[in-house]
């Protein structure tokens, strides 16, 4: 899941939960915490022997939270997977890329639509990716030549993995 804390975006994954013991990954870093939530919004968190007691304000049905900790208030929004996918897809736009096509997020290469050495026109499909049960065609931003393909059909790829290299025509 992705969360927004103020202006910062963080990728958060629940690794395990056993009672009050929780293991989460935040932007690739693992945190093992002991957490107790109370119905009045009070929370008790123990991490590496340090106790934190934030107060959480949340409206029923909302994905927005206010967290008060140490005289500071943090605005937190849970972003749904559809919004994240669309943002990652826009971010993967090659208009400003440096001739490399990279995976915008963990995904699966469904189909390669080009071969090495092939000339491609602006807007033509390069490959089809599937992420979060949605498929999208990655298109050429400009007329180009496919220099190298660094993936194969059915490959599972991580975010930012180089998929192919293009040489833009001048």
């Amino acid at each position: 899941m992705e969360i927004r804390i103020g202006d910062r975006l963080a990728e958060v994954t629940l690794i395990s939960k056993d009672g009050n013991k929780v293991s989460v990954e935040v932007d690739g870093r693992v945190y093992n915490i002991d957490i107790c939530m109370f119905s009045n919004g009070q929370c008790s968190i123990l991490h590496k022997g340090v106790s934190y007691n934030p107060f959480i304000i949340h409206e029923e049905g909302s994905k927005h939270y206010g967290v008060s900790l140490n005289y500071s208030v943090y605005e937190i929004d849970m972003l749904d997977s559809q919004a994240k996918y669309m943002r990652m897809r826009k971010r993967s736009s090659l208009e400003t890329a440096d001739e490399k096509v990279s995976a915008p997020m963990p995904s699966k290469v469904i189909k390669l639509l080009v071969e090495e050495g092939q000339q491609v026109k602006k807007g033509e499909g390069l490959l089809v990716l599937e992420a979060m049960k949605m498929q999208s065609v990655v298109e050429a931003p400009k007329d180009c030549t496919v220099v190298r393909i660094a993936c194969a059909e059915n490959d599972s790829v991580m975010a930012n993995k180089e998929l192919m290299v293009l040489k833009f025509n001048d």
Side-chain angles (χ1 to χ4, degrees):
M1 143 177 45
E2 194 172 54
I3 63 171
R4 177 177 291 126
I5 306 167
D7 292 336
R8 179 176 179 263
L9 287 176
E11 181 68 34
V12 179
T13 304
L14 175 65
I15 297 171
S16 66
K17 182 180 185 320
D18 183 19
N20 291 339
K21 303 221 181 286
V22 178
S23 182
V24 294
E25 182 178 341
V26 180
D27 290 338
R29 192 167 172 195
V30 176
Y31 296 89
N32 296 304
I33 60 176
D34 195 324
I35 185 167
C36 266
M37 299 288 294
F38 303 100
S39 60
N40 67 354
Q42 192 67 41
C43 182
S44 177
I45 300 172
L46 184 62
H47 178 253
K48 291 187 176 181
V50 179
S51 179
Y52 303 90
N53 295 296
F55 186 77
I56 300 171
I57 302 163
H58 175 247
E59 288 184 33
E60 190 73 31
S62 168
K63 293 183 180 185
H64 179 79
Y65 296 80
V67 178
S68 176
L69 177 66
N70 298 334
Y71 306 105
S72 295
V73 176
Y74 302 90
E75 299 295 324
I76 298 176
D77 293 295
M78 304 292 191
L79 303 178
D80 64 16
S81 57
Q82 178 72 16
K84 175 184 175 182
Y85 176 76
M86 294 309 289
R87 190 179 63 263
M88 293 299 287
R89 199 166 157 205
K90 284 181 186 175
R91 191 180 301 158
S92 71
S93 168
L94 301 177
E95 289 295 341
T96 59
D98 58 352
E99 302 180 12
K100 292 180 183 174
V101 178
S102 299
M105 63 189 332
S107 47
K108 181 177 180 178
V109 178
I110 299 299
K111 185 161 183 66
L112 293 171
L113 304 174
V114 295
E115 298 176 353
E116 288 185 1
Q118 183 176 336
Q119 296 285 321
V120 182
K121 296 284 186 195
K122 177 180 179 175
E124 285 186 52
L126 300 171
L127 67 149
V128 179
L129 291 177
E130 180 177 85
M132 297 185 298
K133 299 181 183 179
M134 295 176 59
Q135 292 186 4
S136 62
V137 176
V138 177
E139 298 175 347
K142 302 178 183 178
D143 292 351
C144 60
T145 302
V146 179
V147 175
R148 182 167 49 88
I149 297 175
C151 62
E153 289 182 1
N154 296 314
D155 278 358
S156 291
V157 296
M158 297 303 294
N160 301 316
K161 160 88 169 75
E162 182 180 291
L163 303 174
M164 63 179 63
V165 176
L166 308 175
K167 180 177 183 225
F168 295 134
N169 302 342
D170 294 325

